[in-house]
């Protein structure tokens, strides 16, 4: 057996392990969250909605100086808005995965896990939308250009440029995963519905991110020189672009909540602490880019110019470092 055969067998085994894990450990949006338990009820003036210090906006002096009822409203709006953006990304991802699956031949190792992932993402969209509905604030989610343009790009890429599509998958999954893990690691006390949604999302996204990593690692050696050079430049651009969509409040959110421009600028990403948080978000992706041979002199300049350069993680999900 050749080294290529060994690598392909290892790849199939890893995807089979991910599929088996999805069979034996998965969640249902309406079975695994006690939506109607009294402790989980969404009621007016509940201080559990106050944003914790682990949230970039909750950490600001501006937010902390507001009256309690306003802090609660902003906390509810922000949680609903981030969940709605996540829901929209999941919808785009599901559509792209199904179009990608249409291109796969029989006995493809990617087919089964792609459909497992799509199934789990469908549960996530139900979970996210139910939380938004119960919060009761009519948030739009991502900016209009994201909702109109990205679905079209994702459909094209999933069939014609699947390597780039899975780079985009990581660009949507890594920032949310990093932020949610940071909140839970900090032990921040918030509304139990939000905490339960985060716990479920983190548990299943670990497999989804793992699949994207495995796919990119397996396919990278097959890239041509031009494609590899192009992806090395586009990768940090896609990461930063989708990170801003996910993390930064939309213009409508800023208007609705009357958040001063100087607060938004400081939190995303003009202060030293916020720039560090931005760099830390992509430690795992920088590690992967190095392993894929996508870190070169030109691409490092792009990572640096976009403010997302820095030391790569030593292992996946390494906590943020100083």
């Amino acid at each position: 057996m050749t080294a290529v055969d060994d690598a392909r067998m290892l790849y199939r085994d890893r995807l089979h392990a991910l599929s088996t894990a999805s069979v034996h450990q998965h969640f249902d949006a309406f079975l695994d969250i006690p939506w109607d338990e009294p402790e989980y009820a969404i009621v007016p003036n509940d201080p559990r909605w106050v944003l914790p210090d682990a949230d970039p906006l909750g950490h600001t002096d501006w937010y902390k100086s507001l009256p309690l009822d306003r802090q609660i409203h902003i906390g509810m709006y922000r949680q609903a808005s981030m969940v709605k953006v996540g829901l929209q990304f999941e919808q785009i991802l599901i559509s792209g995965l199904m179009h990608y699956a249409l291109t796969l031949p029989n006995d493809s190792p990617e087919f089964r896990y792609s459909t497992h992932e799509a199934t789990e993402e469908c549960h996530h969209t139900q979970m996210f939308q139910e939380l938004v509905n119960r919060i009761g604030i009519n948030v739009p989610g991502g900016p209009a250009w994201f909702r109109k343009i990205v679905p079209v790009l994702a459909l094209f890429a999933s069939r014609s440029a699947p390597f780039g599509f899975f780079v985009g998958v990581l660009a949507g999954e890594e920032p949310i995963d990093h932020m949610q893990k940071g909140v839970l690691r900090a032990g921040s006390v918030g509304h139990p519905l939000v905490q339960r949604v985060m716990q479920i999302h983190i548990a299943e996204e670990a497999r989804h991110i793992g699949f994207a990593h495995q796919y990119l690692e397996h396919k990278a050696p097959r890239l041509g020189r031009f494609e590899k050079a192009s992806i090395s430049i586009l990768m940090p651009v896609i990461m930063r672009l989708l990170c801003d969509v996910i993390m930064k409040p939309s213009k409508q959110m800023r208007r609705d909540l009357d958040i001063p421009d100087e607060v938004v600028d400081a939190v995303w990403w003009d202060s030293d602490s916020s720039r560090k948080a931005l760099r830390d978000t992509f430690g795992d992706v920088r590690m992967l880019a190095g392993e894929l041979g996508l870190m070169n002199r030109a691409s490092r300049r792009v990572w640096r110019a976009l403010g997302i350069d820095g030391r790569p993680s030593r292992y996946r999900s390494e906590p943020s470092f100083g």
Side-chain angles (χ1 to χ4, degrees), residues 45-238:
N45 302 318
D46 187 341
R48 295 178 299 180
W49 288 104
V50 172
L51 294 172
D53 280 349
D55 182 277
L57 187 60
H59 186 67
T60 62
D61 292 336
W62 170 80
Y63 179 77
K64 292 180 178 181
S65 71
L66 298 173
L68 179 60
D69 62 338
R70 187 132 154 68
Q71 289 187 35
I72 290 170
H73 176 69
I74 291 173
M76 294 178 73
Y77 193 117
R78 177 154 167 77
Q79 296 290 358
S81 183
M82 288 191 297
V83 167
K84 186 68 176 182
V85 174
L87 183 157
Q88 291 164 343
F89 176 79
E90 306 283 34
Q91 290 173 310
I92 294 168
L93 172 57
I94 293 164
S95 178
L97 283 172
M98 292 297 93
H99 277 75
Y100 167 68
L102 280 171
T103 69
L104 299 176
N106 294 331
D107 198 36
S108 165
E110 295 90 4
F111 182 87
R112 179 180 171 187
Y113 193 75
S114 292
T115 52
H116 277 304
E117 180 170 344
T119 300
E120 292 169 356
E121 300 291 23
C122 280
H123 285 296
H124 293 178
T125 63
Q126 293 173 325
M127 177 173 72
F128 289 164
Q129 188 62 60
E130 185 68 14
L131 180 56
V132 171
N133 293 346
R134 289 179 181 246
I135 290 174
I137 299 175
N138 187 27
V139 292
W145 69 263
F146 168 77
R147 288 177 273 134
K148 292 177 181 178
I149 297 174
V150 174
V152 177
L153 293 178
L155 287 184
F156 170 78
S158 63
R159 299 194 67 161
S160 303
F163 194 94
F165 170 72
F166 280 100
V167 168
V169 167
L170 282 181
E173 291 177 333
E174 290 279 7
I176 295 176
D177 186 68
H178 181 85
M179 177 191 65
Q180 291 181 337
K181 285 177 179 174
V183 169
L184 293 185
R185 281 170 176 158
S188 303
V189 177
H191 197 282
L193 272 180
V194 175
Q195 289 191 334
R196 184 59 179 146
V197 165
M198 281 187 182
Q199 289 166 351
I200 290 173
H201 192 245
I202 288 171
E204 295 192 326
E205 286 300 305
R207 291 195 294 263
H208 303 171
I209 291 172
F211 174 50
H213 276 241
Q214 292 296 327
Y215 177 89
L216 294 174
E217 288 172 6
H218 185 67
K219 301 295 184 181
R222 296 163 174 76
L223 296 175
R225 288 185 62 185
F226 176 77
E227 188 177 9
K228 192 170 187 177
S230 300
I231 288 289
S232 73
I233 298 298
L234 286 174
M235 189 175 191
V237 175
I238 296 169

